[in-house]
Amino acid sequence: MLSTLSKSLAKRYGHVHGWNNSMMNNGYYIRYFSTTEDGKPRVLFVCVANSCRSQLAEALGRKYLSDIYEVHSAGSTPSTPNPLAIEFLKNKGYDTSELYSKSYADIPKPVNIAIALCDEGDMECNSYFDTSILERRCWSQKDPVKVDGSEGDKMEVMETVYNNIEKLMIEFKEQSLKDLKKN
């Protein structure tokens, strides 16, 4: 059974290259939208190392989106979660015990929406262009880890990036809920 949001996305993005008309069900493409057992579409937050920006986004995504999306993060060359990012999230009250760096290959397919968080110049994630991703967005954010300066300087940039992502996350959820109401 397809979720209402999956149907909404299918209506909106039904023209996606490679979809097979024989996979129609009541006018909805189902090849990519029967994504999870509970019918939620998948959202993936992507950056190169899956160590900082995408970890912040995964934590925020679980907070704001988990009622309507299955939330994941990954990187093209995953490393380990940055200790400053983990400390930052813990200070914000998040449980970080389940956060770890993942490769795109580790994420269940298909991915309904992938959101890249890399700076424009860091956009090396070949996985972001994989054909199993149905929609792509870019929320380009400065990498706090690469900031020259003290740990305090990096944490200040992390706060800015976190606030930017949180604002975008709330707008994304509001738009998703509006799309649901339209259908």
Side-chain angles (χ1 to χ4, degrees), residues 104-125:
Y104 178 73
D106 299 329
I107 306 303
K109 309 298 183 292
V111 172
N112 300 83
I113 301 169
I115 300 172
L117 296 142
C118 302
D119 288 339
E120 299 296 330
D122 284 346
M123 204 52 169
E124 65 179 57
C125 305

Side-chain angles (χ1 to χ4, degrees), residues 71-132:
V71 177
H72 298 276
S73 71
S76 57
T77 54
S79 58
T80 58
N82 183 279
L84 286 177
I86 296 301
E87 177 186 339
F88 179 86
L89 288 169
K90 284 181 179 178
N91 289 339
K92 293 279 188 188
Y94 289 92
D95 174 5
T96 61
S97 63
E98 293 186 25
L99 292 179
Y100 64 99
S101 293
K102 299 161 285 298
S103 166
Y104 178 73
D106 299 329
I107 306 303
K109 309 298 183 292
V111 172
N112 300 83
I113 301 169
I115 300 172
L117 296 142
C118 302
D119 288 339
E120 299 296 330
D122 284 346
M123 204 52 169
E124 65 179 57
C125 305
N126 288 335
S127 58
Y128 181 70
F129 302 102
D130 187 280
T131 58
S132 67

Side-chain angles (χ1 to χ4, degrees), residues 14-56:
H15 64 280
V16 173
H17 175 71
W19 284 23
N20 181 337
N21 284 338
S22 68
M23 302 182 102
M24 297 280 284
N25 178 13
N26 297 325
Y28 301 105
Y29 287 95
I30 62 171
R31 177 176 174 200
Y32 290 117
F33 288 93
S34 52
T35 56
T36 64
E37 288 181 20
D38 57 4
K40 291 180 183 178
R42 284 188 186 94
V43 63
L44 172 65
F45 297 99
V46 182
C47 68
V48 177
N50 190 218
S51 67
C52 187
R53 294 164 290 185
S54 55
Q55 295 291 336
L56 298 176

Side-chain angles (χ1 to χ4, degrees), residues 51-70:
S51 67
C52 187
R53 294 164 290 185
S54 55
Q55 295 291 336
L56 298 176
E58 181 176 355
L60 283 162
R62 289 175 189 256
K63 176 180 178 179
Y64 289 104
L65 303 175
S66 62
D67 56 333
I68 55 177
Y69 288 98
E70 184 182 283

